[in-house]
Amino acid sequence: MRELKKGMLAKSKAGHDAGRLYVIMKADSEYVYLADGTLRTLERLKKKRRRHIQIIFQIPRSLKQLMEENQELRDEHIKRAIKEYKNQQEV
């Protein structure tokens, strides 16, 4: 199984939020902690079992750049990264 990294995208497969995109903020052996910048902010991370998400092994360019510069991620960065990914998929 591939390693999950902070900043990777994930899509919910189960629950009332099925189909919603998130950014992985941290992961342990059983759970991942997700943020979307709107409903699930960095202060209120969504705790979800690994089997209930589809991992998109891609870190959006904007998040990757911020993390490489050791800047703190904020909700607006997460929202922008999700929006970028959605726009890429529509093209």
Side-chain angles (χ1 to χ4, degrees):
M1 185 172 358
R2 289 173 66 179
E3 181 185 349
L4 300 182
K5 295 181 182 170
K6 180 179 179 177
M8 283 183 174
L9 295 170
K11 185 182 263 186
S12 175
K13 294 192 303 188
H16 69 279
D17 62 343
R20 189 171 187 99
L21 274 172
Y22 293 100
V23 173
I24 297 174
M25 298 313 294
K26 62 182 182 180
D28 58 32
S29 60
E30 194 172 346
Y31 294 100
V32 290
Y33 299 87
L34 309 165
D36 68 1
T38 344
L39 294 175
R40 288 301 177 166
T41 61
L42 293 171
E43 290 80 40
R44 291 187 51 230
L45 295 176
K46 173 85 174 163
K47 179 180 175 183
K48 207 154 180 73
R49 289 188 184 271
R50 283 180 175 232
R51 67 176 175 248
H52 292 160
I53 61 167
Q54 176 185 358
I55 297 142
I56 301 165
F57 291 97
Q58 176 182 349
I59 300 175
R61 226 177 287 131
S62 58
L63 287 183
K64 189 179 236 176
Q65 184 179 4
L66 288 168
M67 290 189 304
E68 286 172 355
E69 295 171 359
N70 291 324
Q71 291 187 19
E72 186 178 333
L73 293 181
R74 297 193 322 251
D75 291 322
E76 51 268 14
H77 298 140
I78 292 168
K79 280 193 278 195
R80 186 178 318 119
I82 291 172
K83 188 175 182 180
E84 275 177 21
Y85 177 77
K86 285 181 180 178
N87 289 340
Q88 277 181 351
Q89 299 307 305
E90 290 175 3
V91 174

